[in-house]
Amino acid sequence: MMGKYSRLQISLYSGLISFLLILTTLFLYMYAIGKKQMFGQLFVARIFYIPLFVHIIVISLTVSAAVYFLVTFLEKRQLGKIEGKLQNLASGDYDQPSLDVAISQNKEMLLVDHDIKRIKEKLVSMSRELQQLSNQPQMVDGTTKEKILEEERHRLARELHDSVSQQLFAAMMMMSALNEQSQHSEELEPYKKQLAMVADIINAAQSEMRALLLHLRPISLEGKSLRQGIEQLLKELQTKIQIQLKWDVQDIQVSAGIEDQLFRVVQELLSNTLRHAKANELEVYLKIVGQSILLRVIDDGVGFEAKDEHAGSYGLRNIRERIAGVGGSTKIISFKGQGTSIEIKVPVVEDANSNIESSLAANGNE
């Protein structure tokens, strides 16, 4: 950040300048008091039995080191501010006050600030365009793409429910009957362990099927707010799955495109949790933070390593794409055996700001 000079160069120049200044001062002093052989005095004169010349070198090196550490400190301080601004931009926090505060009055830093502001403006513009595009229906042969996908999802859900789901239910009933008979029959005694294992497999398959049906046949948001849709989805889930649910969903007002994407993301996250996390508790939070919508879903399941390919990777990739499609960002924190936390942030820019303000007012009156 020091232009064409590096920290090491600046410190070396500082040490050299201090060395020359000390020598010049000493020579002038010795000349003033009439000392002869001024250069020789640097080696003859001693302080604590050490020649004066050595003291001058040590002082110069000390000045050089002090300048080096001072420059390093100032550079890191400036780089820390730049890093903070870039992190805010990466996470979609475009309304952070720090983005508009100058890092320094230094000419180079002012140029960096200017570039960061230009990046912010471009990102805000891209988010606005993406959100506008998400509100426009995509037509395929005269029918909206969403309508085609919804009809196909409903068809698949009906077929799975009427065939595979019913067969799994019947198999579970038969296994329950066999397990009950094994308790009173000596002939089935050797197969008791295997019967229990088969029952567990069928039970797991039923849970997987419920999660798939939840994913394929979502509750419609038609005529409902996002808050009402999410709460209805969670309440329906609570009646079907043995999992402890906790939620805090604010009533926010945004464009239909963002509402739909957020609702489908919540649906996808619930489906992923049921199918892969093996969680006992699940928390869902939706609120407004500044000029952004914050969605957070937390479970206490098995978790995963972010670098590993796992069963839910396609679902998470789909979620990232949905959120990126409305100019938002997705942060996933997970460790094996320690659960998963997924945080989604969607900035609402310009014309949607009035919706955010009215949402804040509405939540403040509750």
Side-chain angles (χ1 to χ4, degrees):
M1 307 306 294
M2 292 294 171
K4 59 183 180 180
Y5 297 110
S6 66
R7 284 176 289 177
L8 184 60
Q9 285 177 316
I10 292 171
S11 61
L12 289 174
Y13 291 152
S14 301
L16 180 60
I17 290 169
S18 61
F19 178 77
L20 295 173
L21 284 174
I22 294 170
L23 277 183
T24 303
T25 304
L26 282 174
F27 286 155
L28 289 173
Y29 174 73
M30 285 187 284
Y31 178 78
I33 63 175
K35 286 278 187 181
K36 296 181 179 180
Q37 297 180 342
M38 290 183 286
F39 189 75
Q41 291 293 327
L42 296 175
F43 299 95
V44 174
R46 293 173 178 268
I47 300 174
F48 300 115
Y49 307 104
I50 300 172
L52 183 59
F53 186 76
V54 175
H55 283 284
I56 296 173
I57 292 175
V58 170
I59 291 171
S60 301
L61 290 174
T62 303
V63 170
S64 180
V67 169
Y68 180 84
F69 287 115
L70 179 62
V71 171
T72 301
F73 171 77
L74 293 174
E75 276 193 353
K76 285 186 176 180
R77 189 175 177 183
Q78 291 178 341
L79 288 172
K81 291 179 180 179
I82 294 172
E83 184 181 3
K85 289 191 173 190
L86 293 177
Q87 285 177 348
N88 287 332
L89 291 177
S91 60
D93 293 331
Y94 306 137
D95 58 328
Q96 284 290 329
S98 60
L99 288 172
D100 299 317
V101 177
I103 297 170
S104 168
Q105 295 305 313
N106 179 282
K107 183 179 178 181
E108 292 178 1
M109 291 298 101
L110 288 173
L111 289 173
V112 172
D113 267 322
H114 178 69
D115 289 339
I116 290 176
K117 285 180 181 178
R118 288 179 60 194
I119 293 171
K120 172 189 170 182
E121 290 169 1
K122 287 183 179 180
L123 288 173
V124 169
S125 176
M126 289 174 62
S127 296
R128 188 190 313 115
E129 290 174 6
L130 286 170
Q131 290 174 14
Q132 288 172 351
L133 285 171
S134 69
N135 289 327
Q136 297 174 2
Q138 299 179 33
M139 306 298 290
V140 178
D141 295 332
T143 308
T144 64
K145 181 180 176 183
E146 286 297 326
K147 184 68 176 175
I148 294 171
L149 290 173
E150 187 177 344
E151 289 177 356
E152 185 64 15
R153 287 155 71 100
H154 277 281
R155 185 187 68 79
L156 288 172
R158 281 196 303 270
E159 290 186 5
L160 286 172
H161 181 269
D162 295 341
S163 58
V164 182
S165 185
Q166 297 296 337
Q167 290 170 6
L168 284 173
F169 179 75
M172 193 63 196
M173 292 297 99
M174 294 173 65
M175 286 304 306
S176 297
L178 284 172
N179 277 324
E180 190 173 342
Q181 289 179 19
S182 69
Q183 302 297 325
H184 310 288
S185 173
E186 293 182 1
E187 293 179 1
L188 293 175
E189 184 68 27
Y191 307 104
K192 190 180 292 184
K193 186 176 179 182
Q194 288 88 337
L195 288 171
M197 288 176 63
V198 173
D200 288 340
I201 291 171
I202 295 174
N203 191 42
Q206 279 187 308
S207 296
E208 178 82 8
M209 183 58 61
R210 290 192 195 102
L212 284 170
L213 290 174
L214 171 71
H215 177 67
L216 289 171
R217 193 159 59 192
I219 303 168
S220 175
L221 263 184
E222 213 170 297
K224 303 183 188 74
S225 67
L226 179 59
R227 176 184 181 179
Q228 291 171 331
I230 291 175
E231 286 184 342
Q232 184 177 342
L233 183 64
L234 291 168
K235 287 173 183 176
E236 183 175 316
L237 183 65
Q238 208 167 30
T239 61
K240 296 180 179 179
I241 306 294
Q242 294 299 316
I243 187 171
Q244 186 175 346
L245 292 174
K246 179 182 177 183
W247 66 82
D248 181 9
V249 181
Q250 288 185 358
D251 195 9
I252 62 175
Q253 297 177 12
V254 289
S255 64
I258 297 177
E259 272 193 343
D260 183 65
Q261 293 291 15
L262 286 174
F263 182 74
R264 292 183 184 277
V265 163
V266 171
Q267 174 205 354
E268 184 98 38
L269 288 173
L270 292 178
S271 176
N272 269 6
T273 300
L274 296 178
R275 295 169 65 193
H276 309 299
K278 300 179 182 177
N280 296 314
E281 295 181 6
L282 178 67
E283 300 175 21
V284 180
Y285 301 99
L286 179 71
K287 59 182 67 178
I288 298 167
V289 179
Q291 296 295 326
S292 298
I293 300 169
L294 179 66
L295 170 66
R296 185 180 287 122
V297 178
I298 306 167
D299 68 61
D300 66 344
V302 296
F304 58 90
E305 294 292 341
K307 61 183 178 180
D308 292 344
E309 289 293 328
H310 55 283
S313 60
Y314 174 77
L316 292 175
R317 187 161 59 249
N318 189 32
I319 288 167
R320 288 183 187 275
E321 289 173 359
R322 282 188 180 277
I323 296 303
V326 291
S329 60
T330 306
K331 181 164 66 175
I332 300 173
I333 301 173
S334 184
F335 300 97
K336 282 191 175 178
Q338 298 182 39
T340 302
S341 172
I342 298 178
E343 184 179 288
I344 289 166
K345 193 173 288 186
V346 178
V348 183
V349 293
E350 284 195 356
D351 54 339
N353 283 346
S354 57
N355 291 332
I356 288 290
E357 289 169 4
S358 59
S359 298
L360 284 168
N363 286 302
N365 293 329
E366 288 181 352

